[in-house]
Amino acid sequence: MSVFREAEIRYLAGERQLGRIATVGVDGTPHVVPVGWIYNATRDAIDVGGHELERSKKFRDVARTGRAAIVIDDLASTDPWRPRGIEIRGRGEAIALPTPLIRIHPERIVSWGLEPGRSARTVAR
């Protein structure tokens, strides 16, 4: 059983390809950058990729802290204004081989605009 609700899985399985990953630097400074991602249904996690990912600050941050967050959002409509999205915070893995990626295992999920009302919850693994 997935930690994501049905509406969240439908959203993650849609055509969105861009999100923003947040990590924390050595000095405690937040670092947020746009990234490509996919929903990994087998692992029930978000996999983040990128060009030369293993050489990036975000990869080093996740390898050091084991933490990451990602926001995936868009506008369902501009008239009326209807933003929607999902924020996923959790344990991060910096996986170097065979293909470098950052895997985010959800611990906190916040979603809006996907169903009536907002959803915010801590999930157990």
Side-chain angles (χ1 to χ4, degrees):
M1 182 156 165
S2 177
V3 297
F4 295 103
R5 295 188 170 148
E6 285 184 41
E8 293 166 344
I9 291 173
R10 281 193 308 273
Y11 186 73
L12 292 171
E15 297 179 10
R16 280 146 297 284
Q17 298 177 341
L18 190 64
R20 285 165 296 285
I21 190 171
T23 61
V24 178
V26 175
D27 63 356
T29 303
H31 181 242
V32 179
V33 292
V35 292
W37 62 275
I38 60 167
Y39 168 57
N40 182 330
T42 302
R43 304 271 186 201
D44 206 26
I46 302 298
D47 289 349
V48 174
H51 181 70
E52 296 186 346
L53 182 68
E54 69 279 16
R55 297 175 49 140
S56 70
K57 179 178 180 350
K58 59 189 165 284
F59 192 86
R60 291 188 307 273
D61 286 349
V62 172
R64 190 185 73 263
T65 66
R67 308 295 298 163
I70 189 167
V71 171
I72 300 154
D73 62 345
D74 69 344
L75 289 171
S77 169
T78 58
D79 189 18
W81 187 258
R82 287 189 27 225
R84 62 184 176 176
I86 186 166
E87 173 194 359
I88 302 154
R89 292 180 241 162
R91 184 173 59 82
E93 287 183 272
I95 301 169
L97 298 173
T99 301
L101 64 91
I102 294 170
R103 179 165 291 145
I104 303 172
H105 300 275
E107 294 175 351
R108 179 86 176 150
I109 300 170
V110 179
S111 63
W112 59 95
L114 307 182
E115 327 180 79
R118 179 178 168 269
S119 171
R121 65 199 182 281
T122 301
V123 297
R125 284 285 184 169

